[in-house]
Amino acid sequence: MTAPMLVQLGSMGVLVAVLAFCVVWVSSDTNKYRKLVWVTLFLTFDLIMFGAFTRLTDSGLGCPDWPGCYGHSNPLLAHAHISAAQEAMPFGPVSVKKAWIEMIHRYFAMGVGVLIIALMAISWMRWLKSRKQPMQRQVKFTPWFPTLLFFCVCLQGAFGAWTVTQKLQPVIVTTHLLLGLTLLAMMAWLAARQSDHAPVAASAAGLVKPAMVALLLLVIQIALGGWVSTNYAALACTDFPLCHGALVPQMDFANGFTLWRHLGMTADGDFLTFQALTAIHWTHRSFAFVVIAFIVWLAWKALRTAGLQNTGRWLLIVIGLQLFTGLSTIYFNWPLAIAVVHNGGAAALLVLLVMLNYKARLVPGRHAVSAAASHSAIVESLNQHP
């Protein structure tokens, strides 16, 4: 790893960020900070989609070192090394195409990292400026959340490196995916906090806990989906609604869900059995119906609540798309485009549920009512037990 290579890689990240800054600059939105937040959220979503494309095209080891490619900043300079690796293993993980896919993903990730650093710096500057004018201090520019975003993106970068150096170990790749989606969820919350929202009906307070449950169920399902993808178990069951002609096929959960093992291997070093792959696929498929049922119910409740109808409508649209793309990957033998859209649908559901969780908490006086209820309960308890 040389200094010139790091400078060149950093320049690519800055270039991606500069393009985003240009979009913000020419925008008609007078609140440039808010616009930058939304642009960063959009690019984070795109990064997750491209990360899925990188994984599904088996390009995760297109450059088997990190952060460069055979010690260079781009595959063009590493062409001789790539050609030698491809000649030695024609159907292996290294090719010129895969190397470019992997490096573009890294450039994109660096650009998002630069944007998050910019958000953190701007929020700190505005917060420090507001301290000199206490009456004008705005909670929207509190720097702690953007700072937490910065640490999250650093951790995500570390797992990106380990994904390569640990040769796509499933638990590392799945954690890398979950951290990416955590970053997306945090960006969605920041974007919601920076935006103005329509008034929400008082009945929305009753959706706070169900919205949190839906978010938790979705995270579990995404983790299961990531485990399917990283273990290449998407085609372990090619029929539906049965799996290998049975409602509950023969499965090996012990080896399928052993976390600390190499790709395609058991913890003992043997090859992973087909029954283990079936267990991974079947669990993701079965739990999907629980998640779909709960989110459909939540979306229906949101449609009947003023201020949440639009979010509820989009939840129904995206959950329908997820069901369609999920089944299509089985019936059409896992086409790449549909598989990428399926990953994007999961990310979109995450953003929508984060937005719903935020909006459900906008009920006027919700905290005051809760405090008053708690106070009344304490007084009543004291009266009963003097």
Side-chain angles (χ1 to χ4, degrees), residues 16-339:
V16 173
V18 166
L19 294 175
F21 289 137
C22 290
V23 171
V24 173
W25 182 261
V26 302
S27 170
S28 58
D29 194 336
T30 56
N31 189 335
K32 300 301 182 183
Y33 181 80
R34 177 177 60 197
K35 187 67 176 182
L36 181 59
V37 169
W38 277 99
V39 169
T40 306
L41 171 61
F42 175 76
L43 291 178
T44 303
F45 180 87
D46 291 340
L47 176 62
I48 288 173
M49 289 280 285
F50 198 82
F53 177 75
T54 302
R55 184 173 66 256
L56 293 169
T57 55
D58 197 25
S59 301
L61 293 178
C63 291
D65 53 337
W66 191 93
C69 190
Y70 289 97
H72 297 282
S73 61
N74 65 73
L76 190 62
L77 298 175
H79 184 78
H81 296 283
I82 296 171
S83 298
Q86 187 173 1
E87 185 177 350
M89 192 179 296
F91 300 102
V94 178
S95 69
V96 174
K97 179 181 176 180
K98 292 179 179 180
W100 274 110
I101 292 173
E102 170 68 359
M103 288 308 297
I104 290 172
H105 175 61
R106 294 181 191 179
Y107 299 150
F108 207 166
M110 292 175 192
V112 171
V114 171
L115 291 174
I116 289 176
I117 292 173
L119 288 172
M120 179 181 67
I122 293 170
S123 64
W124 272 103
M125 287 188 294
R126 294 201 175 192
W127 183 76
L128 291 173
K129 182 179 179 180
S130 70
R131 294 187 66 186
K132 300 177 182 178
Q133 301 170 327
M135 296 301 295
Q136 299 181 12
R137 183 179 300 177
Q138 298 185 42
V139 176
K140 290 183 178 180
F141 293 111
T142 300
W144 309 115
F145 195 80
T147 303
L148 184 60
L149 269 171
F150 168 72
F151 285 108
C152 183
V153 81
C154 289
L155 183 61
Q156 173 70 341
F159 270 90
W162 293 331
T163 294
V164 177
T165 58
Q166 296 301 313
K167 308 301 180 185
L168 304 183
Q169 186 172 345
V171 70
I172 300 295
V173 178
T174 303
T175 303
H176 184 54
L177 168 66
L178 291 176
L179 283 173
L181 290 166
T182 299
L183 189 64
L184 179 69
M186 293 173 68
M187 281 303 312
W189 188 270
L190 182 61
R193 195 173 69 173
Q194 294 299 317
S195 303
D196 299 321
H197 302 278
V200 179
S203 58
L207 294 182
V208 171
K209 290 183 179 179
M212 282 295 297
V213 172
L215 188 60
L216 177 61
L217 290 175
L218 179 65
V219 170
I220 294 173
Q221 178 65 359
I222 288 174
L224 290 172
W227 197 242
V228 169
S229 179
T230 55
N231 283 281
Y232 298 90
L235 295 179
C237 296
T238 56
D239 51 337
F240 182 86
L242 301 178
C243 179
H244 305 312
L247 188 62
V248 182
Q250 184 179 357
M251 292 177 281
D252 179 7
F253 287 95
N255 285 312
F257 288 93
T258 297
L259 297 182
W260 298 106
R261 56 178 175 78
H262 293 292
L263 177 62
M265 309 296 289
T266 67
D268 296 329
D270 299 322
F271 286 107
L272 201 63
T273 63
F274 191 73
Q275 288 74 22
L277 296 177
T278 301
I280 295 170
H281 179 108
W282 184 88
T283 303
H284 175 62
R285 178 196 289 192
S286 301
F287 194 69
F289 293 106
V290 177
V291 179
I292 289 171
F294 194 88
I295 291 180
V296 167
W297 171 82
L298 179 64
W300 178 77
K301 298 288 287 185
L303 282 172
R304 296 162 58 89
T305 305
L308 302 180
Q309 294 100 329
N310 195 41
T311 306
R313 190 175 302 111
W314 277 106
L315 276 171
L316 287 176
I317 292 172
V318 177
I319 200 70
L321 177 66
Q322 276 299 89
L323 180 60
F324 171 77
T325 55
L327 294 178
S328 296
T329 57
I330 298 172
Y331 284 117
F332 298 118
N333 199 29
W334 205 40
L336 176 62
I338 294 178

Side-chain angles (χ1 to χ4, degrees), residues 375-386:
H375 177 73
S376 299
I378 293 172
V379 171
E380 183 179 353
S381 176
L382 290 174
N383 289 335
Q384 292 176 356
H385 305 88

